[in-house]
Amino acid sequence: MKDMNAATTPALHIDGLRKSFGKTEIIRGIDLSIGRGERHAVIGPNGAGKSTLFNLITARFPATAGKVELHGQDLAGLAPYQINRMGLSRSFQITNIFSNMTVFENVRCSLLWSQGYKYSFWNLVSRSRELTEGADAILEQINLLNRRNLPAGTLSYAEQRALEIGITIAGGADVIMLDEPTAGMSHSETDYIVELIRKVTENKTLVMVEHDMGVVFGLADYISVLVYGEIIATGRPEEVRGNPKVQEAYLGAALEAEH
Amino acid sequence: MTDQLTTDPAKPAQRMRAGSMSITLMPWIIASLLLLFLPFIFQANSAITIMNQMSITIIFALAYNMLLGQGGMLSFGHAVYMGVGGFACVHIMNMDDFFANIPLPLLPVFGGLFGMGLATIVGAFSTRKAGTVFAMISLGVGELIAACSVIIVAFFGGEEGISGDRTYGMPFFGVEFLQQIEVYYLIAFWVIISAALMYLFSRTPVGRMANAVRDNPERAEFLGYSARWVRFYSFVASGFFAGVAGALFAINYEILTEENLNLVTSGQILLVTFLGGVGFFFGPILGAIVFTLVQTVLSLQTELWAFYAGVLFVATVMFFPGGLAGVLMMHVPAMRLGKAKLLVVPYIKTLLPALIGILGLSALVEMVFHFRHAATGDHEMTLFWTTFDSHTLLPWIVAVVITVAAFWLMRMNMPGMVAAWHQANTVGKDRA
């Protein structure tokens, strides 16, 4: 992984990726390279295949054709936990936390593997100062320190999304993937979460799927536009926004989806 | 409830209590002292027998809850791990030369290892998935091994089972375990040790991840943990303690039969654990205590004890899914607010009639049972220290009137109890 050309190997490389469900092809040949330390947003209207692409990258679904490489290593056939150990961490579109545990325990669980505890049954988690302090540091970053001891399920929606991001980054993965982190949020909540994402993904590779271009405009270094399973444009946010093809396709499809 | 009840993380004491799960020793010391002095309070041999039975069930139920409560695995065949541990220990008892060199208090280690060995084999394939798949495999394996008991007679002893003699072991500081009370302290020692180890297990990384996998296996996988291996480790640990319980059973009863492996026993432990409450570590302990009392004390009073146990179970599942432990822990917020005393009078006003109503109902059940099943000509029955003729109308009228009146009173006082409950759980000044 840490070989000589580590600097030139993209963090994530997608090559000819295709996915069909039955006769319907949802992802129709995607090539994408995401460099290290880059914040890359994939945007597109509803039904464009954003979440499918996301699940293909994280090997939640097997791809019909093509491949995904993380730091130059093929991810085909790997289990989620193996991919996670290679340095990729993801969030879920539907909030996916451990709702019966406290907020603190949620974060502490996400630190365990990266701190080398593995399947240990001879350590007590409460005895580890690194775990407690590490978890509290994450909680401070995501501004949930005052919710520390509440069951995670009792948090507000926005707080749960923040916790989800906290869990995703806690393990120290260098590639962070967020699936519509601002879905279902008000404007002020969205601004808050975007700011939070900017803060916690400092010096990391971020891949983020988003419905609304406005949300990612100030955040992403690059934007790819996905329409009907194909990427129709990739580039700097200004270029993409000015691209007439994007405007047409994106607006057209968005209007269509509304009817 | 108007205000959410929160613990204040700024206060170190509360931070310890709710967050980092500091290990408080107090409950353990109290439990140890209780186990130490109980035989002085209940001196009868039958009481010791009941307490031994209770302790064995406590270990088994705690082991079972490592799967059900901590790991989210519903097993229908956990008796086999206890049973195999027990059978193995009886065989060790019968290996004269070997057993003569082993002090009896060490025997549960062997039982545990055999339970763990079987759990390692079965867990290797059964823990791949949780949910229905796991439940079905546990049922199948349970039935398979129970069926083996009549096939592999050399190990399981066929229908009459196998028996041994615990006193052939190496004397332990002069104690040969001839007396029930000596066995009591051996079992009490193992209850404390096993419960403490199982509690500590739940506080280790793999124990915490068992909870995480229970709540959300997919999320846990994206934290670097294989849900399957986390389940496997819980399963193996649970098998060990089930085996310990089996060894104690072997020591206490000196006989094991097919009954120790079969699905009835497996179902019973599910019932015990659920009754006590799967959500809290001490839940299964409560369940084991209550169930053993129902099974032993109540069964002396009525032939219908299993019926009442069944009703209790159904009522728990329907009305108190958190079990007895859940009901107790519901009161913690009110206690912290110092308002629990508000509940005392409303509770008495509602629950006392409810209790009388339930007793009235059970009286009717007993009378129906007597009316239908007593020997012909036997019209006399005794219930609640009263003897009467079950074939006359008056006792029936009395029972019905008492039952209806009691439930009516309960209903009348219910709103008061609900109001008191809300008041006790609300932060702020009482409404005068």
Side-chain angles (χ1 to χ4, degrees), chain B residues 198-230:
Chain B
M198 282 187 264
Y199 179 78
L200 291 175
F201 180 86
S202 73
R203 298 286 167 257
T204 62
V206 72
R208 298 318 299 153
M209 286 314 290
N211 283 188
V213 166
R214 171 199 66 195
D215 283 1
N216 198 334
E218 184 169 42
R219 196 42 161 137
E221 292 241 322
F222 276 105
L223 299 179
Y225 279 86
S226 154
R228 182 211 174 156
W229 285 109
V230 171

Side-chain angles (χ1 to χ4, degrees), chain B residues 38 41-54 184:
Chain B
L38 270 179
I41 303 165
F42 303 101
Q43 295 182 335
N45 248 337
S46 60
I48 305 262
T49 308
I50 291 173
M51 288 190 286
N52 284 354
Q53 168 80 34
M54 211 176 260
Y184 170 85

